[in-house]
Amino acid sequence: MKALVAAVALGLVLTSSVPAHAAGDDVLFTFSDPEISEASALTPLGSGLYATTNDSGDSGRVFTVDSRGDTVGVTHWAADPVDVEGLAPAGRSHVWVGDIGDNNSVWDSIRIAKVRVGRGERTVSPTVYELVYPDGPHNAESLLADPEGRVYVATKDWGGGSLYAVPKHLDPDGPNRLKEIAPVIPMATDGAFFPDGKHVVVRGYYSATIYDWPSMDRVGSFRTPDQEQGEAIGVTRSGEVVVTSEGIRAEVIRVDPGLISDVLGEDPPPSPDPHADETDPKADDSTDSTDGGDSDTGGAVGPAALVILAVAAYFLFRKRT
């Protein structure tokens, strides 16, 4: 019963203060590969390429998908990770992968690895870095990296999560101690930095919140497009916000740029093309079979909708946790 009450309260928080589904949201493509069944992260790579990964239950692999939704590359990096939940950009043709989804908050440590991605299939053996929280275990699904390359983890907690910074210089022998930075929204499922380095977006199942960086002052929130179990969010190099969901053949949707501009208090971008200023990293054309990885280091939601969403949240969160 307590969980149901919490779900109702959370549903009110997440939905009552943000606009309804925006008319300008744009479906960019649908994942055509049925192997992408539980997309829990989405990282734009440039030139219409995106990286995504399944969460718990899959082997350690990262999919590279083109702007038509076709899988054009797969990176195999681990045979049996525990619960991969996050991706973050890691420079040209690489992403950070986060084995961070500690649903019961019992792990002594979490793990991240930097892996090569792009066109072609490859198997890599990256250095896996062990991270520990300063205040005990947490569940997390959000892995972020700022434009300078520093990595962050945002926890997924009922009462509100926290953003933690990963050390700038990682010790492969670990453990590497995380540093708590600031609070974030409850039940955070993913996050990303904007390319200007001035803002961070953190999403939940129904909405996302933008913060100023580095102050982490809240700027505003917007409702994310309705999807089966929306968990992933990314920001392209041109500043477009894109989201996707778990489920086979899930859609990748560009959030209405005008909605983001309204939250930021800026003029809307002149071009609706999310790939207008992106270039394809040359290394994405590689088809190497092996790789050393990181060795070189519209209106408010009505009352009826609130009740429906809150009840749905109860069953959804009960499944997820």
Side-chain angles (χ1 to χ4, degrees):
M1 185 63 182
K2 290 181 179 179
L4 179 58
V5 172
V8 171
L10 183 61
L12 291 170
V13 170
L14 295 179
T15 62
S16 60
S17 62
V18 294
H21 180 70
D25 292 340
D26 181 23
V27 177
L28 299 179
F29 59 84
T30 299
F31 292 126
S32 63
D33 187 349
E35 292 294 304
I36 303 174
S37 58
E38 294 187 67
S40 61
L42 185 67
T43 296
L45 300 175
S47 194
L49 296 181
Y50 297 81
T52 189
T53 188
N54 291 321
D55 67 9
S56 59
D58 197 7
S59 61
R61 54 181 175 169
V62 180
F63 300 86
T64 298
V65 180
D66 66 15
S67 58
R68 295 171 298 184
D70 296 331
T71 297
V72 296
V74 180
T75 298
H76 303 270
W77 70 275
D80 192 22
V82 182
D83 190 355
V84 175
E85 288 284 359
L87 294 177
R92 191 161 118 177
S93 303
H94 287 75
V95 296
W96 287 102
V97 184
D99 192 358
I100 58 176
D102 181 10
N103 286 336
N104 296 316
S105 299
V106 295
W107 296 357
D108 292 331
S109 62
I110 57 176
R111 292 153 293 281
I112 63 172
K114 182 180 178 181
V115 305
R116 185 180 177 186
V117 293
R119 298 181 184 275
E121 188 160 358
R122 57 181 59 82
T123 298
V124 301
S125 299
T127 301
V128 177
Y129 297 97
E130 183 182 11
L131 311 176
V132 295
Y133 293 102
D135 53 348
H138 292 275
N139 184 24
E141 295 187 0
S142 308
L143 195 67
L144 308 83
D146 66 25
E148 300 300 317
R150 190 165 188 181
V151 182
Y152 301 82
V153 177
T155 59
K156 182 183 181 183
D157 296 316
W158 277 101
S162 293
L163 184 71
Y164 293 82
V166 174
K168 290 182 179 179
H169 303 290
L170 287 164
D171 181 356
D173 298 321
N176 296 273
R177 190 175 179 86
L178 297 167
K179 178 182 179 181
E180 188 170 6
I181 300 297
V184 294
I185 60 172
M187 301 302 288
T189 61
D190 201 7
F193 276 80
F194 281 76
D196 62 5
K198 297 179 180 179
H199 298 98
V200 179
V201 60
V202 181
R203 75 163 295 176
Y205 289 109
Y206 303 112
S207 68
T209 296
I210 296 177
Y211 301 89
D212 278 330
W213 181 258
S215 70
M216 286 300 288
D217 292 333
R218 181 184 179 278
V219 177
S221 297
F222 61 92
R223 181 163 177 195
T224 52
D226 295 330
Q227 293 186 289
E228 178 180 335
Q229 187 170 321
E231 292 198 3
I233 195 166
V235 182
T236 70
R237 296 177 186 179
S238 56
E240 304 280 359
V241 176
V242 291
V243 298
T244 194
S245 167
E246 292 194 1
I248 295 176
R249 294 182 174 82
E251 295 174 335
V252 171
I253 301 174
R254 183 192 62 167
V255 176
D256 181 1
L259 185 60
I260 304 302
S261 297
D262 286 345
V263 174
L264 295 176
E266 300 174 347
D267 292 331
S271 171
D273 182 0
H275 317 304
D277 62 352
E278 298 183 0
T279 57
D280 189 9
K282 293 179 180 179
D284 283 343
D285 293 327
S286 171
T287 57
D288 293 346
S289 59
T290 59
D291 190 310
D294 190 39
S295 59
D296 60 352
T297 20
V301 179
L306 287 174
V307 174
I308 293 171
L309 286 170
V311 174
Y314 164 64
F315 289 105
L316 178 62
F317 296 153
R318 185 174 67 174
K319 178 181 83 70
R320 296 295 297 155
T321 59

